[in-house]
Amino acid sequence: MRIAGRPYRSIWLDAATGQLQIIDQTLLPHRFEVRAISDVAAAAEAIRTMRIRGAPLIGAMAAHGLALALAEDPSDSNLERASEELSATRPTAVNLRWSIDRVVAVAAALPPPNRAAGALAEAIAICDEDVATCEAIGDQGLAILRELSDKRDPKEPLQILTHCNAGWLATVDWGTALAPVYKAHDAGLAVHVWVDETRPRNQGASLTAFELREHGVPHTVVVDNAGGHLMQRGRVDVVLVGSDRTTAAGDVCNKIGTYLKALAARDNEVPFYVALPISSIDWTIEDGLREIPIEERDGAEVREISGKTSAGRVETVSLFPAESPVENPAFDVTPSEYVTGLVTERGCFEATPEGLQGIREAVRRPPQTP
Amino acid sequence: MRIAGRPYRSIWLDAATGQLQIIDQTLLPHRFEVRAISDVAAAAEAIRTMRIRGAPLIGAMAAHGLALALAEDPSDSNLERASEELSATRPTAVNLRWSIDRVVAVAAALPPPNRAAGALAEAIAICDEDVATCEAIGDQGLAILRELSDKRDPKEPLQILTHCNAGWLATVDWGTALAPVYKAHDAGLAVHVWVDETRPRNQGASLTAFELREHGVPHTVVVDNAGGHLMQRGRVDVVLVGSDRTTAAGDVCNKIGTYLKALAARDNEVPFYVALPISSIDWTIEDGLREIPIEERDGAEVREISGKTSAGRVETVSLFPAESPVENPAFDVTPSEYVTGLVTERGCFEATPEGLQGIREAVRRPPQTP
């Protein structure tokens, strides 16, 4: 997608030097800075400190991280060490494990001198596939948005509420929840996005609003508390969020607070769709509440916040004294019963064991356009 | 209640000078500063800019504001002008109107030379009654907390979640939702409070956590997004919030985001109690969603935030660029069906027309201890 009119991906190899590069998302929206990633430690650090985040992008970075590790030392022991280092960075996202396993399988089958090149090719393939997947999610979601739009006053924009950032900055390009929004906007369908601020890290206000602004999509930032009120007043036509991990029964683990929006959507008969790549489905578990470990992050994310001073410096300020303890769970689980549909690259499916079975079957067939 | 061991009210007349004083709550938790209020313009400004906030305290301030106005000019026209100026400061709280009407009735019945003294006496009475009311709410709520506590492992503290600040800083003393918490803690009942940060103004992290810290009540700050997750995990025994306005059918208008917590409480079978003085019931309306005007506040409250820098200065920083629009509704309405009970100074009642009728009848009887 575009920043100041120029197309970007969220992770890429510099055309001149071949160096791996990312946009340092911790500096957005105040500063746009490209950062080089030159070894596996830098890759792990970028995931852990959330310079890059979003399940698909984490997976892409881990794949490239393994390629960087093997370029330094292609031994079995280094491959194992690097996989472990990258796996340990974020416990919730299932793409991370999926992506690492995929590169390890390719590399381990090659003689050591060929491993770095093999891993790099696989990392590039993972990135390209992610772009294609997200664009397909966009097309599938666009069909849903068109249908919802047809049911209402065509002069008014379709009102979409989203939580956190499941945009192109969370993937390699297009995004998951935002891909249908970009597709709709580009196709001339009037849309307006309610952007949840998404405390504590404010990915909505910092990243989703940044993306939409740069792409010219009408949007309004609201605090996370406001979504229920907006739905009660009939000001939201559809909720569209991403997913970090979806179970084989359709439970959705996503950014903390997603569950509250799902409850409000149900209470106000607003459809609640989850957009996700099929790779983020964890087929090994059913009950999201009991089986998904929820990452507990540093309380400093709640206690401190960064912003721009009137003098233009980015400063971190403390919101309340350290004497008050903090808990900071990063995700919650939305039970499948609250999910209207799972929008995947192979179509929209019900969040039920039968719907998930439909996804399994769709994967075995060639892709179809909606 | 106590700050650093010394007892305070949130509004008082200085013993030496007779001057009206408040704690400037916009500076908390970073700076504790007492501010003198010497005329009606200062009183209105303190309400509008939220130096003081909370429905009961707004009412107390408006009463004192009228007394200050009449001390300068006791004419009918000035009484009317001052009432209008104070009424216009915040549109949602019903106590504001109630309190102004009460002082106006007293003052208008007096000859102009006696009006300032009469209004001051009435303002003092409103404050003292508020303290007694809140303490009675505390006693009534304590009975509920004791009952909930008896049902569970006595070694573990009772887990209470609250939203915004309905503590003593929102009233003259004791608070509404926090009065039962203070009563329980003082009575030796083990309690722990989950404090919702309460974006955008962070009254939870800034004021509720400050109050609980100064009083020694165990608590943990969480972002507003976390409450549903905590309830899903069985980590909340009861939700206890205040109310800015309650309808004659039991709908509750309170800080934006309250409704989302009520939905999560229902979904997880957690009791959801609302603590309120009977004066905050609006007997003229039934349907909160249709009939209560929701104050839309300045978007700067969402876009900007104040905190302490590492150098110890309090600075306001901007979280995202002005190019992204903001909406900032201050309250939402929790439909009565989600309210387990209304905890008032005259007992706990169901949030139904019958329960509200019970409140009407209780008001006519002498008060009873729970």
Side-chain angles (χ1 to χ4, degrees):
Chain A
M1 309 304 289
R2 288 176 179 272
I3 295 174
R6 191 186 140 184
Y8 275 91
R9 284 186 175 187
S10 61
I11 187 167
W12 68 94
L13 297 169
D14 179 70
T17 64
Q19 195 177 44
L20 185 65
Q21 299 194 313
I22 60 166
I23 298 161
D24 186 346
Q25 299 187 22
T26 60
L27 304 178
L28 290 175
H30 306 297
R31 220 159 69 223
F32 176 78
E33 207 172 284
V34 170
R35 189 179 177 91
I37 301 293
S38 51
D39 56 30
V40 64
E45 192 263 358
I47 299 173
R48 202 167 37 238
T49 63
M50 298 177 70
R51 293 189 200 282
I52 57 104
R53 18 65 55 204
L57 179 52
I58 287 172
M61 173 58 96
H64 272 293
L66 279 178
L68 289 168
L70 293 170
E72 267 185 35
D73 169 5
S75 69
D76 283 355
S77 63
N78 192 46
L79 180 58
E80 195 178 324
R81 202 192 49 71
S83 312
E84 279 170 15
E85 180 176 0
L86 290 162
S87 295
T89 49
R90 300 285 306 275
T92 305
V94 71
N95 297 55
L96 178 64
R97 194 64 250 176
W98 169 86
S99 174
I100 290 170
D101 287 350
R102 191 169 147 176
V103 177
V104 166
V106 167
L110 294 170
N114 300 356
R115 283 178 175 176
L120 180 60
E122 195 65 14
I124 290 169
I126 285 173
C127 289
D128 289 346
E129 287 169 26
D130 185 64
V131 177
T133 296
C134 287
E135 184 166 7
I137 290 171
D139 288 325
Q140 299 289 349
L142 172 59
I144 293 168
L145 297 185
R146 271 196 203 286
E147 203 173 302
L148 289 168
S149 183
D150 287 347
K151 283 191 210 154
R152 61 196 309 292
D153 182 349
K155 289 191 299 292
E156 296 293 322
L158 188 72
Q159 300 287 341
I160 303 163
L161 183 139
T162 194
H163 189 69
C164 197
N165 174 260
W168 71 267
L169 289 169
T171 62
V172 179
D173 207 349
W174 287 101
T176 53
L178 293 190
V181 173
Y182 290 123
K183 285 277 176 180
H185 179 77
D186 293 353
L189 191 75
V191 293
H192 167 265
V193 183
W194 296 105
V195 178
D196 269 3
E197 177 185 44
T198 319
R199 288 284 291 145
R201 293 186 65 99
N202 288 28
Q203 293 97 330
S206 296
L207 305 178
T208 298
F210 171 84
E211 282 192 19
L212 296 174
R213 208 159 54 226
E214 293 293 332
H215 201 81
V217 181
H219 64 284
T220 301
V221 177
V222 288
V223 294
D224 302 306
N225 284 324
H229 168 76
L230 293 172
M231 290 188 229
Q232 282 181 312
R233 307 276 157 165
R235 300 182 67 196
V236 180
D237 295 313
V238 57
V239 180
L240 197 48
V241 297
S243 171
D244 284 75
R245 194 194 294 206
T246 303
T247 73
D251 291 347
V252 170
C253 182
N254 191 45
K255 182 59 54 198
I256 189 81
T258 301
Y259 165 56
L260 293 171
K261 294 302 142 62
L263 290 173
R266 170 59 53 89
D267 198 42
N268 295 285
E269 297 175 28
V270 173
F272 181 92
Y273 285 99
V274 180
L276 65 150
I278 293 170
S279 64
S280 66
I281 298 171
D282 185 344
W283 298 103
T284 68
I285 59 173
E286 301 254 330
D287 183 335
L289 266 177
R290 282 211 314 236
E291 299 180 83
I292 300 180
I294 298 296
E295 180 180 2
E296 175 72 28
R297 294 185 59 86
D298 192 336
E301 289 186 351
V302 177
R303 193 186 309 284
E304 297 172 1
I305 201 162
S306 293
K308 210 174 220 174
T309 65
S310 53
R313 284 190 319 278
V314 175
E315 278 233 31
T316 298
V317 296
S318 165
L319 300 175
F320 56 95
E323 285 75 24
S324 285
V326 174
E327 279 205 26
N328 183 20
F331 301 93
D332 64 22
V333 172
T334 298
S336 57
E337 63 186 291
Y338 296 113
V339 178
T340 307
L342 301 171
V343 185
T344 76
E345 65 269 32
R346 294 300 181 98
C348 181
F349 298 85
E350 281 189 5
T352 57
E354 298 69 40
L356 274 285
Q357 185 53 35
I359 296 178
R360 275 184 199 270
E361 286 161 18
V363 172
R364 294 190 204 109
R365 291 194 300 268
Q368 297 177 332
T369 44
Chain B
M1 309 303 288
R2 288 174 179 273
I3 295 172
R6 191 185 141 185
Y8 275 91
R9 284 186 174 186
S10 62
I11 187 167
W12 69 94
L13 297 169
D14 180 67
T17 63
Q19 194 176 46
L20 185 65
Q21 300 195 313
I22 59 165
I23 299 161
D24 186 345
Q25 299 187 23
T26 59
L27 304 177
L28 290 176
H30 307 297
R31 219 159 70 223
F32 175 78
E33 208 171 283
V34 170
R35 188 178 178 92
I37 301 293
S38 50
D39 56 29
V40 63
E45 190 264 359
I47 298 172
R48 201 168 37 239
T49 63
M50 296 176 74
R51 296 190 197 281
I52 56 106
R53 15 68 54 206
L57 179 51
I58 287 171
M61 173 58 98
H64 271 294
L66 279 180
L68 289 167
L70 293 171
E72 268 186 34
D73 170 3
S75 68
D76 284 355
S77 64
N78 194 45
L79 180 59
E80 196 180 323
R81 203 193 48 73
S83 313
E84 278 170 16
E85 180 175 2
L86 291 162
S87 295
T89 48
R90 299 284 304 276
T92 305
V94 72
N95 298 54
L96 178 64
R97 197 61 248 178
W98 169 87
S99 175
I100 290 169
D101 288 349
R102 192 169 145 176
V103 177
V104 166
V106 166
L110 293 171
N114 299 356
R115 282 178 175 175
L120 180 60
E122 195 63 15
I124 291 170
I126 285 173
C127 289
D128 289 346
E129 286 168 29
D130 185 64
V131 176
T133 296
C134 287
E135 185 166 5
I137 291 171
D139 288 326
Q140 300 288 349
L142 172 59
I144 293 167
L145 297 185
R146 272 196 202 286
E147 203 174 302
L148 290 168
S149 184
D150 287 347
K151 284 191 210 153
R152 60 197 309 291
D153 182 349
K155 291 192 297 293
E156 297 292 324
L158 188 72
Q159 300 286 343
I160 302 162
L161 183 138
T162 194
H163 189 69
C164 197
N165 175 258
W168 72 267
L169 289 169
T171 62
V172 179
D173 207 349
W174 287 103
T176 53
L178 292 190
V181 173
Y182 290 123
K183 285 278 175 179
H185 179 77
D186 292 353
L189 192 76
V191 293
H192 168 266
V193 184
W194 295 106
V195 178
D196 270 4
E197 177 186 45
T198 319
R199 289 284 292 146
R201 293 186 66 98
N202 288 30
Q203 294 97 330
S206 296
L207 304 178
T208 299
F210 171 84
E211 281 192 21
L212 296 174
R213 205 158 60 226
E214 293 293 332
H215 201 81
V217 181
H219 64 283
T220 301
V221 177
V222 288
V223 294
D224 303 307
N225 283 325
H229 168 76
L230 293 172
M231 291 188 227
Q232 283 180 312
R233 306 277 156 167
R235 299 182 69 196
V236 179
D237 296 313
V238 56
V239 179
L240 197 48
V241 297
S243 170
D244 285 76
R245 194 191 297 204
T246 304
T247 73
D251 290 348
V252 170
C253 181
N254 190 47
K255 183 61 51 198
I256 188 84
T258 301
Y259 165 57
L260 293 171
K261 294 302 141 65
L263 290 173
R266 169 59 52 88
D267 198 43
N268 295 285
E269 296 175 28
V270 172
F272 182 90
Y273 285 99
V274 179
L276 66 148
I278 293 170
S279 63
S280 66
I281 298 171
D282 186 343
W283 298 103
T284 68
I285 58 173
E286 302 255 330
D287 183 335
L289 265 177
R290 280 210 315 231
E291 299 180 82
I292 300 180
I294 298 295
E295 181 180 359
E296 175 73 29
R297 294 185 58 86
D298 192 338
E301 291 186 350
V302 176
R303 193 187 308 282
E304 298 172 2
I305 200 163
S306 293
K308 209 174 218 172
T309 64
S310 53
R313 283 189 319 279
V314 175
E315 279 231 32
T316 298
V317 297
S318 164
L319 299 174
F320 56 94
E323 285 75 23
S324 285
V326 174
E327 279 206 27
N328 182 21
F331 301 92
D332 64 21
V333 172
T334 299
S336 58
E337 61 185 294
Y338 296 113
V339 178
T340 307
L342 301 170
V343 185
T344 76
E345 64 270 31
R346 296 298 182 98
C348 181
F349 298 85
E350 282 188 3
T352 58
E354 298 70 37
L356 273 285
Q357 185 54 34
I359 296 179
R360 274 184 198 270
E361 286 160 18
V363 171
R364 295 191 203 108
R365 290 192 302 267
Q368 298 176 333
T369 45

